[in-house]
Amino acid sequence: MNFFIRWIVTAIAVAAAVWIVPGIEVVGTEAWVGVLFTALILALINMSVKPILQLLSLPVTVLTLGIFYLVVNTLMLYLAAWMANGLFGVGFWIATFGSAFVASIVISVVSTILNGLLGDTD
């Protein structure tokens, strides 16, 4: 899948998470700018760092029957928010771990639906 398409799908998923999940707020001047920069960072992290963390956490993921995978997604969301706020000064603020956990589930579900509609097999 083209990186631009992946970025747009991630941006839509992040916007859905910001809209649905309480405790996730956009930081910066414009809400759409924060969503776009956070989605860019999250798409880059999901392509580079996430596979390494999935491999390292594989034993725990197997023991928990895949539920630890959601924790890895939550950590990637925290990392993306931290990097977007630090590098660009825009992004979003996460109130609690529970908010980030629910937001990572929302982002995963919305991304899966959009990738299914677009015919992505990655």
Side-chain angles (χ1 to χ4, degrees):
M1 176 188 277
N2 187 340
F3 178 75
F4 182 73
I5 301 293
R6 185 181 302 256
W7 180 28
I8 297 300
V9 166
T10 306
I12 293 170
V14 168
V18 168
W19 181 57
I20 293 172
V21 179
I24 305 290
E25 297 178 14
V26 177
V27 176
T29 57
E30 296 286 333
W32 64 272
V33 174
V35 167
L36 284 178
F37 278 113
T38 303
L40 174 65
I41 299 294
L42 189 60
L44 291 171
I45 287 172
N46 284 341
M47 290 173 47
S48 58
V49 177
K50 189 175 179 181
I52 296 168
L53 279 181
Q54 286 175 336
L55 183 65
L56 292 175
S57 67
L58 188 61
V60 177
T61 303
V62 170
L63 287 175
T64 61
L65 302 175
I67 298 202
F68 192 74
Y69 185 70
L70 296 172
V71 175
V72 172
N73 285 346
T74 304
L75 294 175
M76 295 301 98
L77 189 61
Y78 265 116
L79 181 62
W82 176 73
M83 287 181 71
N85 289 331
L87 293 175
F88 302 111
V90 295
F92 60 82
W93 176 75
I94 302 171
T96 63
F97 182 81
S99 297
F101 189 77
V102 173
S104 69
I105 292 172
V106 169
I107 290 171
S108 297
V109 168
V110 171
S111 295
T112 300
I113 291 170
L114 290 175
N115 286 332
L117 291 174
L118 295 173
D120 181 30
T121 58
D122 288 348

